[in-house]
Amino acid sequence: MKDLLPPEAPKWRFIEATAREAFAAFGFSEIRVPILERTELFARSIGEETDIVSKEMYTFEDRSGDSLTMRPEATAGVARAFLEHKLHATPGPHKLFTIGPMFRHERPQKGRLRQFHQLDCEVLDDAGPQSDAELLVLADHLLKVLGVAKVQIVLNSLGCPECRPSFKQALLSYFQDKQGRLCDDCNKRLANNPLRVLDCKQEDCKEIAAGAPLISASWCPDCSEHFDQVKRLLGLAGVSYALDPKLVRGLDYYTRTAFELKTGELGAQDAVGGGGRYDGLIQALGGPATPAIGFALGIERLALLIEDRPEWQSGPALFIAALGEEPRAWAFGAACALRKKGLWVEMSASDVSLKAQMRRANKMNAAQVLIVGGEELKAGAAPLKDMASGDQTDLPLDEIVTRLAAAGA
Ligand code: HAM
């Protein structure tokens, strides 16, 4: 779990503000859901056999004896809120976004933390391929405006309850005589959810899984048609993607379209984001049949892919270098008055030399410095220095607020 220190904060603000703008343009409204949910919600949504639920959740019993979990992702909580507040009573699609911390007890690495942050979008109550394409266009657009290059959308369809059983059967037949070579976890997965074997990170399992049947051979006509439409709309929108018939996700709720936003720039962590359809989740949680789709991007991983920009390193509009007791008292009053007008103004906290104050103004990247000593105070005017050009003008001290606030300094 990492502290976000002040020099990194402007990049995070840029990411969040850019995301909020893009989400608004695509018609998404903000929802904020709690960090703590009942453990059962995640177990039922994400799936008992997934690494997230079986190995990575921060779960504890609260003082009432309830088992609670710090959310490992946002989708389950949004789905719960959607149901609890009967948002389905009004016609969809409901487009929601949320931004915040998630928790997974994973082995920390570059781009992998135990508290990380997601930008998450969900479209609830719409089955059509246009929602799939819209979300992918949004993700692609957001990456572009953030200046994140070299990310590829990797796309697959995971089928539906109509065609998934025949794919599971095909997997079972394939793995039947290879069980001895699979890891213990995969042997369990074969019994409960054979698709998970395709997601195993063990080298032996990966090698065996490489020859497994492809889900595309099992798609029902409706799944094929849906996927064709998604690809057609992405083509119309000019969004490029790669197909990976072996892509499975680390969460069990997905149906049909599933995707990852992959990059080769993050070492072992190759996904900046991921998502897909989860048409059965709301019903599995006890609600009406409600098709849905969403995605999440990891803010830490985005931050690793975005260069710092000079405009984020802005400094105070004015540094008042005051020398001596009286000038410092005047400077304190002037600084407070200007700050109340919205200008970032600094002065040194103690009575130090002019040289030390100029050094500090430079370090802080101040745009202008006003140098006020006893003489200047008496004369009622002091030199105002533009730090970029070196130009100097005399500023009447009793006009400082009107002149600088009006000019936006
Ligand atoms: P996910 O693929 O588990 O999907 O996570 C989405 C993104 O969150 C990842 O691509 C990555 O950028 C970031 N992320 C995940 N774990 C970590 C970690 N330990 N450290 C840093 N970043 C991480 C989901 O969470 C789904 N809820 C996405 C979704 C929304 N599907 C439908 N709607």
Side-chain angles (χ1 to χ4, degrees), residues 151-396:
V151 173
Q152 188 172 45
I153 296 177
V154 182
L155 207 57
N156 193 17
S157 170
L158 297 178
C160 68
E162 280 292 307
C163 52
R164 184 89 59 87
S166 63
F167 179 56
K168 281 190 179 168
Q169 206 46 55
L171 285 179
L172 283 178
S173 319
Y174 172 79
F175 286 118
Q176 201 167 32
D177 57 353
K178 302 172 183 70
Q179 280 182 16
R181 288 160 57 207
L182 293 173
C183 70
D184 289 350
D185 279 350
C186 277
N187 273 298
K188 268 192 242 147
R189 289 170 184 142
L190 270 189
N192 298 312
N193 184 358
L195 255 82
R196 291 253 66 82
V197 179
L198 303 177
D199 201 29
C200 184
K201 306 290 180 289
Q202 303 272 346
E203 280 311 318
D204 279 356
C205 300
K206 275 209 290 209
E207 211 171 282
I208 299 169
L214 297 178
I215 191 157
S216 43
S218 304
W219 289 335
C220 63
D222 283 353
C223 281
S224 283
E225 168 65 14
H226 185 96
F227 201 42
D228 284 345
Q229 288 298 334
V230 174
K231 290 184 283 185
R232 188 181 67 86
L233 290 166
L234 288 177
L236 284 177
V239 169
S240 54
Y241 56 85
L243 297 175
D244 179 0
K246 287 209 152 66
L247 178 108
V248 280
R249 300 266 300 126
L251 305 94
D252 280 350
Y253 48 57
Y254 292 111
T255 50
R256 292 197 165 162
T257 314
F259 53 89
E260 283 192 343
L261 304 153
K262 292 198 176 184
T263 173
E265 312 275 298
L266 288 176
Q269 303 312 310
D270 63 354
V272 190
R277 246 187 198 285
Y278 50 97
D279 290 342
L281 178 61
I282 303 282
Q283 203 167 20
L285 295 177
T290 309
I293 180 165
F295 75 85
L297 296 171
I299 298 186
E300 284 80 1
R301 293 189 191 172
L302 289 172
L304 285 170
L305 297 170
I306 297 171
E307 300 275 326
D308 276 326
R309 299 192 179 177
E311 66 264 29
W312 298 338
Q313 313 304 319
S314 70
L318 176 71
F319 188 97
I320 308 179
L323 297 155
E325 201 176 321
E326 257 188 85
R328 285 182 56 74
W330 175 85
F332 182 75
C336 290
L338 283 165
R339 287 166 179 163
K340 288 180 192 169
K341 296 279 179 198
L343 284 191
W344 179 10
V345 178
E346 292 291 343
M347 63 179 285
S348 76
S350 58
D351 196 3
V352 291
S353 70
L354 179 60
K355 201 168 156 205
Q357 296 197 52
M358 291 307 283
R359 217 181 301 127
R360 186 163 167 76
N362 250 322
K363 198 156 177 234
M364 293 185 93
N365 205 13
Q368 301 180 98
V369 178
L370 184 73
I371 302 165
V372 192
E375 293 286 304
E376 287 76 14
L377 205 56
K378 225 183 281 163
L384 179 68
K385 184 172 176 184
D386 185 293
M387 298 296 274
S389 65
D391 292 348
Q392 210 158 292
T393 47
D394 254 11
L395 182 76

